[in-house]
């Protein structure tokens, strides 16, 4: 029997796990997690933190090489840009985390600035993406739909 992937939003413990991989903190009252599962097994996901009215930080972590699907990317960016109405997302990445940097750049984030010596052994790379730069909003999810008012009409 093949168990298909499915997405869970704010599954208990997932946001804290994602942020632990990024050496950060997840606050359940204000932060959001969106993650892929196969059955009950967490594959990976996104944690959205530090809401600032028009912007927010996004962090990612995965266990399984297939954790990041087009549906998961669409759902994450649809939530941020269309449902919350954010103008910009930020990805904060340690300069020595080459895999995360490459993944963020492939996803469409651009280097915004560098905070030198933010860590004893590395810099903090601040990448960003504006809504009008997000190609994932144009993808058509296979198993999901937005709850945006314009699509309900």
């Amino acid at each position: 029997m093949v168990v298909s992937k499915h997405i869970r939003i704010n599954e208990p413990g997932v946001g804290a796990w994602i942020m632990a991989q990024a050496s950060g903190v997840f606050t359940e009252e204000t932060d959001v997690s969106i993650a892929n599962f196969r059955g009950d097994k967490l594959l990976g996901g996104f944690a959205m933190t530090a809401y600032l009215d028009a912007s927010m930080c996004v962090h990612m972590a995965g266990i399984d090489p297939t954790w990041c699907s087009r549906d998961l990317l669409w759902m994450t960016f649809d939530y941020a840009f269309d449902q919350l109405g954010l103008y910009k997302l930020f990805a904060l990445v340690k300069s020595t985390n080459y895999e995360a940097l490459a993944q963020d750049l492939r996803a469409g984030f651009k280097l915004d600035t560098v905070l030198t010596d933010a860590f004893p052994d590395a810099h903090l790379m601040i990448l960003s993406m504006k809504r009008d730069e997000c190609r994932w909003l144009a993808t058509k999810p296979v198993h999901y739909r937005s709850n945006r008012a314009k699509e309900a009409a």
Side-chain angles (χ1 to χ4, degrees):
M1 179 172 108
V2 175
V3 179
S4 64
K5 283 191 236 180
H6 58 278
I7 296 172
R8 296 183 190 173
I9 300 170
N10 287 337
E11 182 72 12
V14 170
W17 178 83
I18 293 168
M19 290 307 297
Q21 308 316 300
S23 300
V25 175
F26 185 83
T27 305
E28 292 201 18
E29 294 81 22
T30 57
D31 299 341
V32 174
S33 68
I34 303 174
N36 248 335
F37 283 77
R38 184 173 291 115
D40 286 332
K41 181 185 176 199
L42 171 65
L43 303 177
F46 294 92
M48 301 176 76
T49 67
Y51 176 77
L52 295 171
D53 187 41
S55 63
M56 204 167 188
C57 289
V58 63
H59 310 271
M60 67 177 131
I63 303 168
D64 185 281
T66 66
W67 75 269
C68 193
S69 66
R70 289 180 183 269
D71 278 2
L72 181 65
L73 286 163
W74 172 83
M75 188 174 285
T76 300
F77 292 113
D78 177 78
Y79 175 75
F81 292 124
D82 291 337
Q83 295 182 39
L84 290 182
L86 299 179
Y87 173 72
K88 197 174 203 180
L89 280 175
F90 292 100
L92 310 177
V93 184
K94 195 173 183 179
S95 62
T96 54
N97 190 344
Y98 307 115
E99 185 176 339
L101 282 168
Q103 206 165 19
D104 284 343
L105 292 169
R106 279 193 310 272
F109 283 88
K110 297 176 182 170
L111 181 62
D112 204 303
T113 194
V114 178
L115 291 177
T116 59
D117 304 319
F119 302 95
D121 60 343
H123 306 308
L124 178 63
M125 313 296 280
I126 301 176
L127 296 96
S128 67
M129 179 190 299
K130 295 178 188 173
R131 186 198 188 287
D132 62 356
E133 299 168 340
C134 182
R135 69 178 183 267
W136 301 106
L137 294 176
T139 62
K140 297 294 179 202
V142 176
H143 301 288
Y144 303 95
R145 64 178 176 77
S146 178
N147 64 358
R148 293 178 284 192
K150 67 181 179 185
E151 288 191 1

